[in-house]
Amino acid sequence: MKMGLKLKNIIFILLGSIIFSFGIVHFNMQNNLAEGGFTGITLLLYFLFKWDPSYTNLILNIPLFFIGWKLLGRNAFLYTIIGTVSVSVFLWIFQRYQINMPLNEDLTLAALFAGVFIGVGLGIIFRFGGTTGGVDIIARLVNKFAGVSMGKTMFMFDAVVITLSLIFYLSYQEAMYTLVCVFVGARVIDFMQEGAYSARGAMIISDHNDEIAAKIMNDMERGVTVLKGHGSFTKKEREVLYCVVGKNEIVRLKNVITSVDPHAFVSVSVVHDVLGEGFTLDENKKPLEH
């Protein structure tokens, strides 16, 4: 696009806004549950004064748009405008065309569904470069400059808003279920940010590194990197193999290694996100279609 924005990102930001707004209206508002951040403030104003969240969401975010413009850059700012406006639009739509699903008799389900919908919606928006304004901008800035996960920053901010909600309109029971909702949402956001695809990374130490590396590359068509290591006990220099495979391939990898050296030392770790050839790129360095 001429403005430097990607159509794919815009589509997914809109999708995330739909999921997020659906959760707010159908699980939070219908079951008198609060929320954190600026969304929690809009719900507080709704339950106290019946002010429409679709309007207060825009009004509260106007000052933060200027911060986003200065610190996030033009593209991130434009994605934020798209995310914030689309959330307000979908909040307006879902309030007027609701699906009646009251879960007052089972607030555990209401809190869990609210957390999942909010977490998935925001996670998609964040993953494709957008925010929904408010504390999302603050969390994104903290993540960018301090390295703190967006979910953790939002959880801390949420605690303040939920405390205010407890003072003004929540019962203690509703406040506790709201905390469940916020915690689930924060964990889902982090999961979405880290990547839904989980691979496995293997560190291999053996006296038969060349044979193992060749067998992995030939039999599994996976790359192997040779790292330089130093034995603390033996004081000897030795090579360490590193290989990343899909989680469904880890048993096969172990069998390949033990077929060459049953006594090899193998350490397997979880890899939350993988980019590059064999995972997101093909052998010609072109994106894989999933």
Side-chain angles (χ1 to χ4, degrees), residues 202-206 209 212-213 216 224 239-243 253 257 264-267:
M203 302 282 287
I204 307 160
I205 301 175
S206 169
N209 282 343
I212 291 174
I216 291 173
V224 180
E239 295 179 341
V240 179
L241 303 181
Y242 181 69
C243 179
L253 175 66
I257 296 169
F265 178 85
V266 183
S267 172

Side-chain angles (χ1 to χ4, degrees), residues 42-189:
T42 63
L43 290 178
L44 177 63
L45 296 173
Y46 168 77
F47 286 117
L48 288 179
F49 307 112
K50 297 302 178 183
W51 292 355
D52 192 328
S54 62
Y55 298 119
T56 54
N57 179 60
L58 280 179
I59 294 170
L60 291 173
N61 275 296
I62 289 175
L64 285 172
F65 285 158
F66 294 100
I67 298 176
W69 173 258
K70 293 292 184 180
L71 296 177
L72 294 178
R74 193 189 72 159
N75 280 7
F77 171 76
L78 292 175
Y79 284 136
T80 295
I81 293 289
I82 294 170
T84 305
V85 172
S86 60
V87 163
S88 287
V89 169
F90 291 119
L91 283 173
W92 188 91
I93 292 172
F94 286 131
Q95 284 182 88
R96 284 149 184 82
Y97 303 96
Q98 290 190 38
I99 301 172
N100 189 28
M101 51 175 68
L103 295 171
N104 300 86
E105 300 300 321
D106 194 344
L107 285 178
T108 301
L109 275 180
L112 291 176
F113 274 106
V116 170
F117 271 78
I118 291 169
V120 170
L122 289 179
I124 292 173
I125 293 171
F126 294 156
R127 193 166 177 83
F128 288 90
T131 76
T132 58
V135 71
D136 302 347
I137 294 178
I138 298 172
R140 191 178 179 86
L141 293 173
V142 172
N143 177 257
K144 181 177 181 179
F145 294 109
V148 179
S149 76
M150 298 176 75
K152 290 179 181 177
T153 302
M154 294 175 69
F155 187 78
M156 290 185 289
F157 195 95
D158 292 344
V160 176
V161 178
I162 293 170
T163 301
L164 293 175
S165 300
L166 174 61
I167 293 172
F168 289 109
Y169 77 93
L170 285 181
S171 68
Y172 286 106
Q173 183 186 35
E174 290 167 342
M176 287 188 286
Y177 280 112
T178 295
L179 287 175
V180 172
C181 164
V182 171
F183 178 77
V184 171
R187 296 302 300 161
V188 172
I189 289 170

